[in-house]
Amino acid sequence: MVIYKGVREVETMNENLLNEKNDIEKELIKLDSKYSKVAGLRLVVFLIAVILIALGVSNHSIIYLLIGIIFVIGFIFLVRYHSLINENISSIKAKSKVLGRYLKRKSGEWRSFKDDGSEYLRPNDNLSHDLDLLGRASLFQMISIAHTSAGREKLANTLSLKNVKLEDRSKRYEAVQELSEKVSFLVDFEASSERILEKREKEKERLGEEEKETPEKDVKKLPLWMYPLMILVPVINIAAIILVLVGGQSPTRILIAFILGLVITWFPMGILDSIISPVYKYGIASNDYHRMLKLISDSEFKSEVLKNIYDRTTSRDGILSAIRSMGRISAVNNISFNPIIHMVLAGFLGWDYYIALAASRWTAKNEGVFEECTDIISDIEELGSIAVLSMVRDTTEPEIIGTMKLDMTKVYHPLLNPETVVSNDAVIDNKLTIITGSNMSGKTTYLRTVAINMVLSYIGAGVCAESFKIPYMKIFTSMRVMDDVAGGISTFYAEILRIKEMAEYISSDASVPAICLIDEIFKGTNSADRIVGATEALQKLSAGNSMVLVSTHDFELCDLSENNYHFEEYYENGELKFDYKMRDGKCTTRNAIAILKMAGLVQN
């Protein structure tokens, strides 16, 4: 079996990422300096423009006025240039964050990542709770490079096995492995995706609300009666300026024309906002959307899944040009984000009418483009997130077999530190397997290791093992069983409900066999009842089209199966130690007293 990302390859990638991160941080220092200089120049140009225009109006001087207008144009150019530098700085900062996260995934530092997919974790999703697929310290938290809501939701549904199609597994695996080898592509793609998230958050802060709501009036086309008004506003202002400069009229006329222009521009603002709404919704991130689609269209893909995504990106007429044109409209509109500049542009030019006209024409030609764009991007985010695992862990391709057998070599848990994690081998072909062992020796971790790698196998990911051969099975778990005080359900009864669900599925003669992974069966009741109840439950679960793996401290349950494994402890210089290696047979040691002594609760 081919190991796509061995330890040496992962270490080399880490070194390259670290070097790139250091290089772009040096570039960031240079850009910060340029940003400050342009900011100072912009202020000087603005002040000169104000002084010249004031002199031109007060002295009726066309020369001063024209020079002032030139400085105004220069100021607008500097505002745009300053904005581009800021965009570049933000992009570099986003890329630096992305590179930093890849480096942190190598160790346990990824647990500090903000996004853990908790909002997708449902109370009845036992699999995601038990296997840490979603939520704090989860697989989602470690691998996610998704920043769009659609991409995050797709990844969450995939990890929790809501959208699994086994027939697509091999094709998905090819796509995932291809992406795992395109490190630069994924880093640049995620950096752009993160920029979208950052811009959305800044926009919410700027507006002082959760999100700019779509106006109540759903108007997409500029009404005919607005065309004369958009022409009238600049005409009355030009006329007033000419009268003041040439006719010797009072400068007050310019102020009156300006106020009239504001009234004409802003009284239909509800309609204008409705027409401009696509710019509010998509414009702020359109350049990043375009950059992401351009990354796809400029790449060469070999796998069928990625080729289909490429075709969707390039085959639709004008999707890239449509998004680029929205970026231009947004860039022009962004000039007016400064309230003073917006007021000046609206009063003198009828600015909002022209933005609305551009948005209206764009919508008429390109409606639905961003929905398609978002879907394409979310597909790459979901596949790319799964590819991350093979970039930061030693993985291999799993094999789905037709026999009821688990054949695993050097399998380990993907969420544990790869520098210290212990791998295990096992061939399990019995209907019922009992795993015993002392406290903290690794029983529960092993059950989770098997289950989470099975999940990875079914979604097209690489698995954390040297070889991993399993059948396709419906996965049931009973591990983190919690009581429900409000619902009047004890821990013991909650576990009974989980095992009942397993039994009902198995007795239904479903075509897909079940695998039931149960940790410390019926630990919520006394030992006598636990042994009797566990015996009955395990015999029932293992009687159908199923396999059962159960951990227990009750050695009596080992008699139910010929397939027993155990974990054990050892002592070194009087100190309790664990090697986390699984061995044949049942456990013969206990360590509860030793652990109590470690906690200082037992003296002798």
Side-chain angles (χ1 to χ4, degrees), residues 46 196 410:
F46 176 76
I196 294 174
K410 293 186 179 180

PDB file of all heavy atoms in Angstrom, residues 46 196 410:
ATOM      1  N   PHE A  46      -5.412  66.086   0.159  1.00  0.00           N
ATOM      2  CA  PHE A  46      -6.792  66.463   0.482  1.00  0.00           C
ATOM      3  C   PHE A  46      -6.851  67.903   0.995  1.00  0.00           C
ATOM      4  O   PHE A  46      -7.715  68.691   0.572  1.00  0.00           O
ATOM      5  CB  PHE A  46      -7.351  65.507   1.530  1.00  0.00           C
ATOM      6  CG  PHE A  46      -8.734  65.872   2.010  1.00  0.00           C
ATOM      7  CD1 PHE A  46      -9.848  65.621   1.225  1.00  0.00           C
ATOM      8  CD2 PHE A  46      -8.910  66.480   3.245  1.00  0.00           C
ATOM      9  CE1 PHE A  46     -11.122  65.963   1.669  1.00  0.00           C
ATOM     10  CE2 PHE A  46     -10.185  66.832   3.693  1.00  0.00           C
ATOM     11  CZ  PHE A  46     -11.283  66.567   2.896  1.00  0.00           C
ATOM     12  N   ILE A 196     -12.359  36.568   2.934  1.00  0.00           N
ATOM     13  CA  ILE A 196     -13.806  36.775   2.843  1.00  0.00           C
ATOM     14  C   ILE A 196     -14.410  36.832   4.240  1.00  0.00           C
ATOM     15  O   ILE A 196     -15.223  37.711   4.549  1.00  0.00           O
ATOM     16  CB  ILE A 196     -14.464  35.645   2.020  1.00  0.00           C
ATOM     17  CG1 ILE A 196     -13.982  35.709   0.565  1.00  0.00           C
ATOM     18  CG2 ILE A 196     -15.987  35.734   2.092  1.00  0.00           C
ATOM     19  CD1 ILE A 196     -14.461  34.553  -0.294  1.00  0.00           C
ATOM     20  N   LYS A 410      -0.408  -0.958  12.241  1.00  0.00           N
ATOM     21  CA  LYS A 410       0.099   0.338  12.711  1.00  0.00           C
ATOM     22  C   LYS A 410      -0.951   1.436  12.609  1.00  0.00           C
ATOM     23  O   LYS A 410      -0.680   2.538  12.113  1.00  0.00           O
ATOM     24  CB  LYS A 410       1.369   0.721  11.941  1.00  0.00           C
ATOM     25  CG  LYS A 410       2.552  -0.193  12.229  1.00  0.00           C
ATOM     26  CD  LYS A 410       3.825   0.298  11.563  1.00  0.00           C
ATOM     27  CE  LYS A 410       4.998  -0.635  11.904  1.00  0.00           C
ATOM     28  NZ  LYS A 410       6.256  -0.198  11.266  1.00  0.00           N
TER      29      LYS A 410
END
